[in-house]
Amino acid sequence: MALSMETSLPLSAVVQARSSLSADAAPRHLDPRVSLAVLVMINVQMALSQSLFAEMGVLALTVAAMAYCRRFSAIVRWLAFYALFAVTAQLLVASGSTLLSPFAASLLMYRHVLPAFMFAFNMIATTRLGELACALQAIRVPANVSVAVCVAFRFLPTMGREFSAVADAMKTRGIALTPKSVVCHPAKTAEHFLVPVIARLGQVADELGNAVVVRGVGASAHRTSYYRLMICAVDVACLIAAMALLALSACFRAGVL
């Protein structure tokens, strides 16, 4: 009976139900072309103005983009880092110590550029490599630049795993990567950590570059793509907000506001 009831359903209804479920479960993300444009404007804005108001605007825009992409746990982690930098820098400034002032300035700089890193890592986490390649081809980026961007885009998420692998290898050889070892034996620790990391990262970058070239990213002919890019209302709103923040930072830099 159950089998007969299941087979009696129309095939079109089953296909429509499955497509609706897959559409609901699919991760949301901004258009790669919009993400690249917004990332460029955010970096220009960070260089133009040191205004806390403009910085808060970039932070709000980044959090809104991450919330649209449903990356709520990442929002909590990044905001915790931001609050840690901000509170620590203010405590160092309030101490009035001249020895701690360079550390306070460094933390303030990290806090200022952290929203740009947030937006960049959100783009990396939500954009597929094929979508990025399609976007670069759509905006007429040269082939050599496209290859370099695609390799960097694919390479960045692997850095954490490579660092962890080297640290584990150091533990097996009795060289633990701890704050004590860094302070007591800085040269030895740097030698045992940085040399394998640089060698391994160079090997991974070479492998990724070959893989990207084999996929035809550097071909002179027009490449077809599995992905179809479409700019929606959220992309337009994000682009307008970034342009408004950039104009605001330019006004702060010019002394208009």
Side-chain angles (χ1 to χ4, degrees), residues 16 50 72 93 101 106 154 183 222 231 239 242 249 252:
Q16 184 176 3
Q50 301 291 328
F72 302 106
V93 171
S101 57
S106 300
R154 186 64 183 86
V183 173
H222 183 80
I231 296 178
L239 192 60
S249 298
F252 279 127

Side-chain angles (χ1 to χ4, degrees), residues 187-210:
K188 183 178 179 181
T189 305
E191 178 184 357
H192 286 85
F193 180 74
L194 293 180
V195 173
V197 165
I198 294 174
R200 178 57 185 161
L201 293 183
Q203 181 181 359
V204 172
D206 185 58
E207 294 174 355
L208 291 176
N210 294 335

Side-chain angles (χ1 to χ4, degrees), residues 57 61 86 88 113 151-152 166 184 193 249:
L61 174 62
T88 307
V113 300
V151 170
V166 172
C184 297
F193 180 74
S249 298

Side-chain angles (χ1 to χ4, degrees), residues 179-236:
K180 181 181 178 180
S181 65
V182 173
V183 173
C184 297
H185 308 285
K188 183 178 179 181
T189 305
E191 178 184 357
H192 286 85
F193 180 74
L194 293 180
V195 173
V197 165
I198 294 174
R200 178 57 185 161
L201 293 183
Q203 181 181 359
V204 172
D206 185 58
E207 294 174 355
L208 291 176
N210 294 335
V212 169
V213 171
V214 167
R215 292 184 180 183
V217 175
S220 58
H222 183 80
R223 298 173 62 249
T224 58
S225 178
Y226 176 80
Y227 303 99
R228 216 173 72 182
L229 302 179
M230 294 181 62
I231 296 178
C232 61
V234 177
D235 297 317
V236 175

Side-chain angles (χ1 to χ4, degrees), residues 66 70-81 118 122:
M66 296 175 70
R70 299 173 181 171
R71 303 190 67 239
F72 302 106
S73 60
I75 292 176
V76 175
R77 291 195 300 268
W78 281 106
L79 289 181
F81 277 115
M118 290 174 61
N122 180 69

Side-chain angles (χ1 to χ4, degrees), residues 69-213:
C69 298
R70 299 173 181 171
R71 303 190 67 239
F72 302 106
S73 60
I75 292 176
V76 175
R77 291 195 300 268
W78 281 106
L79 289 181
F81 277 115
Y82 186 86
L84 178 63
F85 287 154
V87 172
T88 307
Q90 292 301 322
L91 291 177
L92 293 178
V93 171
S95 66
S97 174
T98 56
L99 295 176
L100 297 178
S101 57
F103 298 99
S106 300
L107 290 176
L108 289 175
M109 181 189 67
Y110 294 151
R111 187 209 67 190
H112 182 68
V113 300
L114 191 61
F117 279 99
M118 290 174 61
F119 193 91
F121 276 95
N122 180 69
M123 176 185 172
I124 292 173
T126 57
T127 305
R128 299 180 179 90
L129 182 60
E131 292 175 333
L132 179 63
C134 182
L136 293 175
Q137 182 175 251
I139 59 179
R140 307 293 182 182
V141 174
N144 294 334
V145 178
S146 298
V147 172
V149 172
C150 290
V151 170
F153 181 84
R154 186 64 183 86
F155 176 65
L156 287 175
T158 66
M159 292 182 63
R161 294 195 295 269
E162 298 300 332
F163 290 161
S164 178
V166 172
D168 293 339
M170 291 176 63
K171 289 181 182 178
T172 60
R173 298 183 180 183
I175 309 171
L177 186 63
T178 60
K180 181 181 178 180
S181 65
V182 173
V183 173
C184 297
H185 308 285
K188 183 178 179 181
T189 305
E191 178 184 357
H192 286 85
F193 180 74
L194 293 180
V195 173
V197 165
I198 294 174
R200 178 57 185 161
L201 293 183
Q203 181 181 359
V204 172
D206 185 58
E207 294 174 355
L208 291 176
N210 294 335
V212 169
V213 171

